[in-house]
Amino acid sequence: MYTILTSYGWKCAWIALFLGLASNSTSFSASAQTPPPLPNAIQMAGSSLTLTQSVTVSVQEINEITISSDVSLTIDTATPGTGPDAANDASASFNLTTNGTNKKIVGALDSNFSSGISLKALLVAPTGGSSSEQTLSNVAVDLVNGITRTTATNLSITYTAEATINAAPNGSGESRTVTLTLMDN
Amino acid sequence: MNRQLQTIFPRFLAVACILLVVAMPLRSQAQELRFNSGGGPLTLTVQSATAGSEPVDALDNSSEIFWDANFGVPAKMTVSTIAPGQNFDLYLLLSVPSQGAGGQGVVQPEVQLIDGMLDTDLLTGIPSTLPGRQGFGTLEYRASATVSDGNSTELGDDSHIVTFTLLAQ
């Protein structure tokens, strides 16, 4: 029994050793003798490694608007027989960016002017939008409509100040803040 | 005692040789491609802009990839993506911070990842021998969206499955 097992073990050892050398010889020579594949050759299965990664791209809704500068309007002339002449200023402008659809710009004053004094605003609409002149007050009014996915710079704002003959002279003037808001229609 | 030794030793030799047969081919052909860091799901969020300008790109460089191109021939790394219904732009640049004496290959320019794209080279000419055969680099993703592309609230997010492949060149 022992003799048989010993003989069997030695046979296994020699066979395994032979296979090992043969296998190693094959693998080493394969890497040394295999010619590089032709350009654009189809790779054999198992000759490449892959790795994957999940990437999500999220784009938030972005609405940005800025106004360029302050303005000052002075009503100081009148035509005899009519009320005081209106004062105009088109020196201000605004920039905007939105990647949303169907937006509008509304405008409002922080507080109303004294009785007999009013301020109107007309904004140039970006491409695709529409605008109209509106009198500003402390209640927001629509100034531009139909703004969709656009960027624009230096769009003009024209202010018009008006006073009736009932408006009291106000010396150095009344300062108000105009707020433009880009929002959903 | 001698008889026992005569029995056990050949068996041990046989087992050792069989292990050698199994292990050697694996060791001599081992290639590797893995993430050194990061590698998990990423989200790039485009969320700001200056009024009058296009939105600011979102960037991510939190993932580092490692390769060992042990093919016995020069190798390369490619990238592709699957992103059904893609709306926004995604770009990838492999930034290899250090090059060994023999170099680690040729880094390709930034690649735009487009749904269904063919495998596109990220790194070519990876040497077949050490030390250049091994290397690592940072995956620099850049997401970009113009206002005309819209936003995720209206269109949904883009979901990419980005695949990197290391193969003989």
Side-chain angles (χ1 to χ4, degrees), chain A residues 2-59:
Chain A
Y2 281 134
T3 306
I4 293 170
L5 284 175
T6 302
S7 173
Y8 177 72
W10 277 110
K11 284 176 183 173
C12 286
W14 283 114
I15 289 170
L17 187 61
F18 173 77
L19 288 175
L21 290 175
S23 173
N24 292 339
S25 173
T26 301
S27 59
F28 287 135
S29 63
S31 60
Q33 296 176 2
T34 302
L38 294 171
N40 302 320
I42 298 172
Q43 297 298 318
M44 294 176 62
S47 63
S48 65
L49 296 177
T50 62
L51 192 62
T52 62
Q53 184 169 35
S54 171
V55 179
T56 299
V57 176
S58 177
V59 178

Side-chain angles (χ1 to χ4, degrees), chain A residues 72-142:
Chain A
S72 179
L73 298 102
T74 302
I75 298 171
D76 56 3
T77 62
T79 302
T82 64
D85 295 335
N88 296 297
D89 184 292
S91 63
S93 63
F94 69 101
N95 298 339
L96 71 86
T97 290
T98 181
N99 61 359
T101 56
N102 199 22
K103 303 294 178 182
K104 67 179 181 180
I105 298 172
V106 299
L109 299 176
D110 54 342
S111 64
N112 290 332
F113 283 102
S114 300
S115 178
I117 298 174
S118 64
L119 180 66
K120 294 179 179 178
L122 173 62
L123 278 61
V124 171
T127 303
S130 62
S131 64
S132 60
E133 186 178 58
Q134 299 291 332
T135 300
L136 301 176
S137 71
N138 59 359
V139 176
V141 291
D142 292 356

Side-chain angles (χ1 to χ4, degrees), chain B residues 9-113:
Chain B
F9 181 70
R11 286 180 181 175
F12 172 78
L13 190 60
V15 170
C17 290
I18 288 168
L19 289 175
L20 191 68
V21 169
V22 172
M24 285 302 289
L26 293 176
R27 195 176 63 182
S28 63
Q29 286 297 314
Q31 302 102 25
E32 194 173 0
L33 183 64
R34 61 176 165 80
F35 290 110
N36 258 352
S37 61
L42 299 176
T43 298
L44 291 92
T45 303
V46 176
Q47 57 186 348
S48 65
T50 300
S53 300
E54 293 289 352
V56 177
D57 292 349
L59 307 174
D60 185 287
N61 58 2
S62 63
S63 294
E64 187 175 276
I65 196 168
F66 171 87
W67 61 89
D68 182 352
N70 185 16
F71 293 99
V73 294
K76 67 178 182 177
M77 191 191 312
T78 64
V79 66
S80 63
T81 189
I82 300 294
Q86 180 178 5
N87 292 302
F88 313 116
D89 294 338
L90 180 62
Y91 300 88
L92 176 64
L93 174 68
L94 176 66
S95 175
V96 180
S98 61
Q99 292 271 350
Q104 290 172 303
V106 180
V107 176
Q108 299 301 303
E110 185 180 62
V111 174
Q112 184 172 8
L113 302 178

